Amino acid sequence: MEEQEYTRRSQRPRKRRLRKGRAIFTLLILCMIVLVGYSVMQYRSGLKLATNTNVMQENFTGDAIKGDIENYLILGVDTRGEEKSRTDTMMVLSWNKANNDMKLVSFMRDIYADIPGYQSYKLNTAYYLDGVQLLKDTLTHMFGLPIHHYALIDFKNFEALVDILAPNGVEMDVEKDMSEHIDVELKQGVHRLNGQELLGYARFRQDAEGDFGRVARQQKVIEALKTELLTPTNMLHLPKFVGAAQGYITTDYSSAEEMQQVLKLLSKGKVNIEKATIPIEGSYQFQNFSHAGDSIVIDVEQNKAFLSDFLGISLE
C-alpha cells in the first residue's frame, strides 16, 4: 500500500508540469497569432497609404550577379508633378551578403559624363534623357561598375516613409542653421527631425561646401535611417513601412522579393556602412561648358581605381 501511495504522489507533479507546459505553449501560439495579425494589418495599411505614388515603374536590365556582392543604384528625384526630372541623389549601395558589410558611394550630380547615345552632359541629366536604364548604363560605361538592381524614390514619398518608420523623428546633429531653399527652418544642434525636416537637411547646399556638403549630409541621413530601421523600438512600425515602400519606392524587385531582402538584412543583425564620394579628392577640376554649364571634370581612371579598391571588386 505504501509503495502504491508513493507512486501516485510521484506522478502528480509531472502532471502539473505538463499542464503548465501546455499553457505556456498555448500562450506562445496566441502571441504569434496576434503578432502575425497585427503585422498583416499594418502591412496592408502601408500599402493603402502608397496607392498614389508619383513615380512609375521603369524598364530596367541589371547586370548578372557574380559572387556575394550586389550593387543597388539608389536615386532620389523631385518630380513636382513634372513628366521629366533630374536626379538630385545618385548613390550605389554595395552589399556583401557573405559578411553583411555595406559600402555606399555617392556620385556628384554635376560630374561631366559621357552619356551613351547622347552628347556629354552632367551626370544627373542621364535620368532626364531616358530614365534609370540610361543612368545605369552611363555609370557602367564610365567606371565599369556592375549594377544589379535599382530603387527610385520621389522626395515627397521619402518624407512619408520617414514618418512611418520613425514617428518620433530621426535624431540628427544639425551642424549649422539651415533654411534657404529647403522649405523648413533648422537650428544648429541635435534634434529629432520629421520627414520634411530630414529631407530639407539632406538637400541643403547654400554654404561654402555646396554640393559636396549636401552629398555628405545625404550619407549621414542614410546612416541615421539604417539605425532607425534596426532599432528594436521601431520594429512594430516595420510591417507598415515595408507595405508603404511597395508603392513609395519604385524598384525592379517584386513585392515578395523586397520583403525577402529586408528580412535577410535584418536577420543578419548589425550592419556597418562605409561611405565614399565620387570624385575623390584631387581627381577633378571645375569647367564651364556652353551646353552643360558649370561641371565637374574628373579623372575617370583615378576614380575607377579607387572604386575597385573600395568596393573590393574588379572593374572592367
Side-chain angles (χ1 to χ4, degrees):
M1 287 291 292
E2 287 182 4
E3 269 188 42
Q4 290 177 349
E5 185 66 24
Y6 175 77
T7 302
R8 289 193 199 101
R9 287 174 184 171
S10 65
Q11 289 175 344
R12 284 171 190 166
R14 188 179 301 172
K15 288 181 180 178
R16 281 196 291 269
R17 283 196 295 270
L18 287 172
R19 291 194 192 102
K20 187 177 180 180
R22 284 200 197 100
I24 293 173
F25 179 73
T26 303
L27 184 61
L28 287 173
I29 293 296
L30 288 173
C31 287
M32 288 287 291
I33 292 171
V34 170
L35 183 61
V36 170
Y38 171 83
S39 298
V40 170
M41 287 177 61
Q42 288 296 299
Y43 176 79
R44 289 176 177 171
S45 174
L47 278 177
K48 189 175 180 181
L49 282 175
T51 52
N52 296 318
T53 181
N54 294 327
V55 184
M56 301 300 293
Q57 188 76 30
E58 298 200 24
N59 293 324
F60 179 81
T61 302
D63 295 305
I65 298 172
K66 299 176 182 178
D68 296 316
I69 294 177
E70 288 189 31
N71 296 327
Y72 302 76
L73 179 59
I74 301 175
L75 306 174
V77 298
D78 186 6
T79 59
R80 301 183 185 181
E82 299 172 357
E83 187 175 341
K84 285 190 171 186
S85 57
R86 285 174 170 79
T87 43
D88 262 21
T89 303
M90 293 174 288
M91 299 177 173
V92 169
L93 181 67
S94 185
W95 181 12
N96 188 325
K97 295 187 177 182
N99 54 26
N100 217 34
D101 280 348
M102 290 190 169
K103 308 285 182 68
L104 183 68
V105 181
S106 295
F107 291 86
M108 299 292 293
R109 64 180 193 167
D110 289 344
I111 291 173
Y112 194 62
D114 183 9
I115 301 175
Y118 294 86
Q119 186 179 4
S120 295
Y121 286 99
K122 292 180 181 179
L123 183 60
N124 70 337
T125 306
Y127 177 77
Y128 176 85
L129 291 171
D130 202 15
V132 172
Q133 187 67 51
L134 183 59
L135 179 53
K136 179 267 177 201
D137 291 342
T138 300
L139 290 172
T140 301
H141 175 70
M142 283 187 74
F143 303 105
L145 179 63
I147 295 174
H148 309 108
H149 303 286
Y150 85 92
L152 176 69
I153 185 167
D154 175 76
F155 288 143
K156 281 296 179 185
N157 296 341
F158 172 85
E159 293 178 11
L161 278 176
V162 170
D163 291 336
I164 291 171
L165 177 64
N168 296 321
V170 176
E171 186 174 291
M172 186 61 59
D173 185 1
V174 180
E175 61 270 21
K176 63 187 75 176
D177 291 351
M178 303 177 184
S179 61
E180 195 173 354
H181 301 311
I182 59 173
D183 298 325
V184 292
E185 186 172 346
L186 304 176
K187 294 296 183 182
Q188 183 178 7
V190 178
H191 306 284
R192 296 200 72 84
L193 306 183
N194 62 26
Q196 184 181 16
E197 292 166 337
L198 193 65
L199 177 63
Y201 174 80
R203 299 193 70 190
F204 180 77
R205 61 170 178 157
Q206 305 303 315
D207 60 7
E209 296 177 283
D211 271 338
F212 283 91
R214 175 162 68 170
V215 165
R217 281 185 284 275
Q218 289 173 354
Q219 292 182 345
K220 282 179 63 178
V221 166
I222 293 293
E223 182 71 32
L225 289 175
K226 180 214 71 175
T227 300
E228 292 292 338
L229 185 66
L230 298 176
T231 299
T233 54
N234 283 334
M235 287 299 175
L236 288 176
H237 309 136
L238 194 59
K240 187 175 182 179
F241 173 81
V242 173
Q246 307 297 312
Y248 284 149
I249 298 177
T250 305
T251 176
D252 57 309
Y253 275 120
S254 68
S255 297
E257 287 172 328
E258 284 181 53
M259 177 71 80
Q260 185 182 33
Q261 291 296 85
V262 172
L263 292 176
K264 191 182 294 183
L265 173 65
L266 295 175
S267 68
K268 294 191 176 183
K270 188 176 180 180
V271 179
N272 296 313
I273 301 181
E274 290 184 64
K275 296 174 281 293
T277 300
I278 296 297
I280 59 174
E281 189 174 350
S283 71
Y284 64 90
Q285 60 183 350
F286 294 99
Q287 190 172 340
N288 184 277
F289 297 91
S290 59
H291 65 286
D294 291 330
S295 305
I296 303 173
V297 178
I298 72 171
D299 184 325
V300 174
E301 290 306 315
Q302 189 177 345
N303 283 278
K304 184 176 178 179
F306 169 81
L307 276 174
S308 179
D309 181 64
F310 181 69
L311 299 177
I313 55 178
S314 176
L315 301 181
E316 299 177 358

